[in-house]
């Protein structure tokens, strides 16, 4: 049976045969995809991380900014604040992706990073009416193939939950400017709270960082009624912390997880293969998710 499935995937989803696509159990992945295909679009929901998953990691050798880093623009923050944010990034990002530290060890440090950054941003009293211009000037880029990804999901009325530890207001502006903020999109993220003059005064709700998405998922589950009755989940992420984004889905049948391995490839390959069903190594496109979606729906 496995041989037949392998054959099927080769002809139906040739993208899975590329050498940048790694799988721990190819047979099980194919089985899951077939089972999702039989259940069809009406049973499917997609849950995706944003920064470095829906957006590119790099372009022409330069890092593409995350939603936080889009805010590093002289329109919004001072030179002094920029320097401080860069020091924090250089201190904490290596910790975030360090394969030799446990999640338990990273957790308090991530809270520290996000908290310090948010405090700095609040001190700058960032203006809401300048966010769109900052996004426009930022050089942010969604992955190649984003248009068909978002458009297909919208056409088939498949809910897309974007679950981001970034900044929600910036994220929304990125997808709006790319004309893919369709009605099937729900977002869980860190949202800015502006005072009546339009200046940033706080962040709303539970702080979401890389390694507490489980808590975010559970606390929002009840509010996302349109996701109920969709037991098949396609999950996309770039961090091991993203694997808990589906923890709010109560009665799931099949979950297929796809992990983008962008950085520290050799050091992290093994843990990614052990954790995600499909690992995409240095792949700046959405070709594989798109091919799977086109087969399922
Ligand atoms: O959307 P996502 O959950 O991926 O957003 C979180 C990402 O943003 C993290 O992987 C982290 O590297 C990045 N980040 C950043 N600057 C911060 C905080 C987080 O670039 N101040
Ligand atoms: Mg990410």
């Amino acid at each position: 049976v496995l041989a037949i499935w392998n054959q099927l995937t080769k002809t139906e989803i040739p993208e899975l045969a590329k050498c940048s696509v790694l799988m721990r159990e190819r047979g099980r992945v194919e089985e899951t995809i077939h089972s999702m295909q039989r259940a069809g679009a009406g049973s499917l929901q997609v849950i995706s991380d944003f920064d470095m998953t829906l957006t590119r990691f790099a372009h022409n050798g330069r890092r593409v900014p995350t939603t936080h880093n889009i805010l590093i623009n002289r329109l919004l923050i001072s030179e002094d604040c920029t320097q401080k944010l860069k020091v924090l990034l250089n201190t904490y990002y290596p910790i975030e992706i360090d394969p030799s530290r446990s999640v338990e060890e990273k957790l308090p440090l991530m809270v520290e990073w996000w908290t310090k950054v948010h405090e700095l941003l609040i001190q700058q009293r960032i203006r809401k009416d300048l966010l769109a211009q900052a996004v426009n000037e930022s050089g942010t880029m969604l992955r190649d193939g984003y248009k068909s990804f978002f458009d297909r999901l919208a056409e088939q009325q498949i809910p897309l939950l974007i679950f981001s530890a970034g900044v929600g207001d910036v994220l929304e502006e990125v997808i709006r400017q790319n004309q893919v903020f369709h009605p099937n999109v729900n977002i869980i993220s860190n949202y800015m709270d502006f005072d009546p003059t339009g200046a940033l005064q706080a962040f709303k709700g539970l702080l979401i960082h890389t390694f507490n998405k489980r808590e975010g998922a559970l606390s929002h589950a009840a509010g996302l009624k349109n996701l109920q009755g969709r037991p098949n989940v396609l999950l996309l992420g770039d961090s091991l912390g993203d694997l808990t984004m589906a923890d709010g889905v109560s009665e799931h049948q099949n979950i297929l997880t796809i992990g983008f391995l962008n950085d520290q490839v050799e050091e992290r390959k093994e843990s990614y293969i052990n954790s995600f069903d499909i690992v995409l190594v240095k792949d700046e496109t959405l070709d594989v998710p798109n091919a799977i979606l086109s087969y399922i729906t």
Side-chain angles (χ1 to χ4, degrees):
V1 182
L2 276 185
I4 296 170
W5 276 331
N6 271 322
Q7 200 46 49
L8 255 179
T9 301
K10 247 181 223 146
T11 51
E12 306 280 352
I13 315 180
E15 286 78 0
L16 288 180
K18 288 199 295 192
C19 58
S20 55
V21 181
L22 308 177
M23 288 177 243
R24 180 179 70 251
E25 296 176 274
R26 186 174 285 265
R28 212 193 66 79
V29 166
E30 299 191 350
E31 212 175 310
T32 306
I33 293 174
H34 286 294
S35 158
M36 288 175 152
Q37 190 255 339
R38 283 192 299 273
S43 298
L44 183 68
Q45 57 173 301
V46 179
I47 303 181
S48 181
D49 170 57
F50 190 71
D51 291 304
M52 297 179 272
T53 295
L54 291 179
T55 59
R56 294 178 65 115
F57 177 73
H59 181 61
N60 291 339
R62 291 195 57 179
R63 287 291 302 271
V64 168
T66 61
T67 51
H68 276 101
N69 292 339
I70 286 172
L71 299 170
I72 300 184
N73 181 317
R74 292 307 305 279
L75 271 177
L76 303 175
I77 64 175
S78 68
E79 182 58 38
D80 176 56
C81 179
T82 300
Q83 289 315 318
K84 287 180 177 150
L85 291 173
K86 286 187 174 163
V87 169
L88 290 172
L89 183 67
N90 293 334
T91 309
Y92 290 99
Y93 175 68
I95 299 175
E96 181 191 8
I97 64 164
D98 184 349
S100 72
R101 294 186 203 230
S102 69
V103 170
E104 291 69 40
E105 200 182 328
K106 292 179 185 184
L107 246 156
L109 297 166
M110 293 301 105
V111 174
E112 209 172 273
W113 181 17
W114 261 255
T115 307
K116 284 180 181 166
V117 166
H118 287 186
E119 276 167 8
L120 284 169
L121 296 174
I122 291 164
Q123 279 169 18
Q124 296 296 305
R125 302 180 52 76
I126 286 180
R127 294 211 49 87
K128 184 181 169 68
D129 57 359
L130 296 176
L131 287 181
Q133 192 185 338
V135 167
N136 188 257
E137 292 175 356
S138 68
T140 179
M141 283 177 86
L142 295 167
R143 284 186 193 267
D144 287 2
Y146 77 89
K147 195 103 187 107
S148 30
F149 177 82
F150 280 90
D151 289 355
R152 172 193 303 276
L153 295 176
E155 278 157 22
Q156 313 246 5
Q157 299 178 14
I158 298 168
L160 168 60
L161 173 62
I162 303 179
F163 199 144
S164 172
V167 181
D169 308 75
V170 177
L171 187 169
E172 286 192 6
E173 193 53 36
V174 173
I175 57 176
R176 192 176 294 126
Q177 291 187 12
N178 283 283
Q179 285 153 23
V180 289
F181 196 176
H182 301 314
N184 64 319
V185 175
N186 287 293
I187 299 163
I188 301 177
S189 189
N190 299 303
Y191 276 92
M192 293 171 153
D193 184 15
F194 296 98
D195 71 14
T197 72
L200 179 65
Q201 61 178 3
F203 278 82
K204 297 177 187 169
L206 172 82
L207 173 76
I208 301 169
H209 58 79
T210 325
F211 296 107
N212 75 342
K213 289 193 173 181
R214 180 181 158 76
E215 284 87 322
L218 294 175
S219 76
H220 285 86
L224 295 165
K225 293 266 186 288
N226 57 336
L227 303 188
Q228 285 162 16
R230 290 186 176 261
N232 292 336
V233 181
L234 181 68
L235 181 149
L236 313 181
D238 76 291
S239 162
L240 296 180
D242 294 329
L243 286 161
T244 64
M245 294 188 301
D247 287 6
V249 182
S250 48
E251 291 180 354
H252 60 78
Q253 266 152 26
N254 298 292
I255 295 200
L256 187 70
T257 61
I258 303 181
F260 288 90
L261 180 51
N262 302 310
D263 202 3
Q264 295 258 357
V265 170
E266 287 315 316
E267 296 84 342
R268 300 197 295 167
K269 200 181 258 175
E270 195 184 330
S271 64
Y272 272 58
I273 293 175
N274 288 329
S275 310
F276 287 98
D277 298 318
I278 302 176
V279 177
L280 305 177
V281 179
K282 288 204 174 288
D283 178 352
E284 293 287 6
T285 77
L286 286 167
D287 292 352
V288 168
N290 280 340
I292 293 173
L293 282 171
S294 118
Y295 181 71
I296 294 178
T297 63

